[in-house]
Amino acid sequence: MPRPARAIAGPLRVAAVLVASCLVLTGCATGNDDLAEQARAGDNKNYIAGDGSVAEYAPEERSEPLDVQGTLFDGTPVTSSDWAGDVVVLNVWYAACAPCRVEAPSLQQLNERFTPDGVRFYGVNVRDEKPTAEAFERTFGITYPSFEDRNGKLLLQLTDYVPPQAVPTTLVLDRQGRVAARILGIADETTLRTLISDALDTPIPTASTDNPFQTSATPVTAVTPVARFMAGTSFVYRVDVRQGRDYVS
């Protein structure tokens, strides 16, 4: 069952917002193309792009752990309890989605980079049958598994964070299973790498304290969305809530 919307209602202390991108998000097809064509091309129909924003939530402002379950294309059932204690990346996609094809190589590279650190990558495919999804994975060399979610049940469990039809969307979950960051639209490789690294660095609460993130510093309560553009380079405006200071990376 999805978490109720009130679990994340109210003002959030967003710790990272908006990255620059020189890519224009284009539409995606839904027609009955040949499998190889579906994996390589689209005709820009029936696609609603994300706005390109990136949000990273301060540890003390993250909502309850996600409680999700679904079935991979190979028939393996997976629940959120299976990745307990691991950082997880969930990427919502389908084969004829043009932005999904743009970001696929970066996702695979990050999967290879972070697998030794115990990070798990999962795709959430919202439209394709198994042969179409496998054709896409062969085309882009994707080695991590994907959920088959044409019925939308898993996506419904993510509805607090993934707007309807906003494909691609990428979520980064911390070791407690909470959403640490979200990217709406194409996942920039540098930005996603930073978000994953931050999630890996988030301390796990211990029984010795109710709030391991609490310090004497006055926390930042809100950040206005900021975007910086310079020669096509992405900058992430972030706030160190624990130390009460901001910086650009």
Side-chain angles (χ1 to χ4, degrees), residues 25-28 39 47 91-107 124 126 136 140 142 144 166-169 185-187:
L25 298 184
T26 56
C28 294
Y47 172 73
N91 175 253
V92 181
W93 70 284
Y94 60 95
C97 163
C100 300
R101 297 193 301 277
V102 170
E103 68 177 7
S106 294
L107 290 169
V124 180
V126 294
F136 179 98
F140 295 103
I142 303 298
Y144 56 85
V167 181
T169 292
I186 294 173

Side-chain angles (χ1 to χ4, degrees), residues 44-97:
N44 302 332
K45 294 180 181 178
N46 301 326
Y47 172 73
I48 298 178
D51 60 8
S53 66
V54 178
E56 184 180 38
Y57 304 100
E60 67 271 29
E61 291 299 328
R62 293 171 191 170
S63 188
E64 293 297 313
L66 291 182
D67 182 10
V68 300
Q69 57 184 344
T71 303
L72 303 180
F73 274 106
D74 66 4
T76 303
V78 175
T79 71
S80 48
S81 62
D82 293 321
W83 60 60
D86 294 332
V87 170
V88 175
V89 177
L90 297 176
N91 175 253
V92 181
W93 70 284
Y94 60 95
C97 163

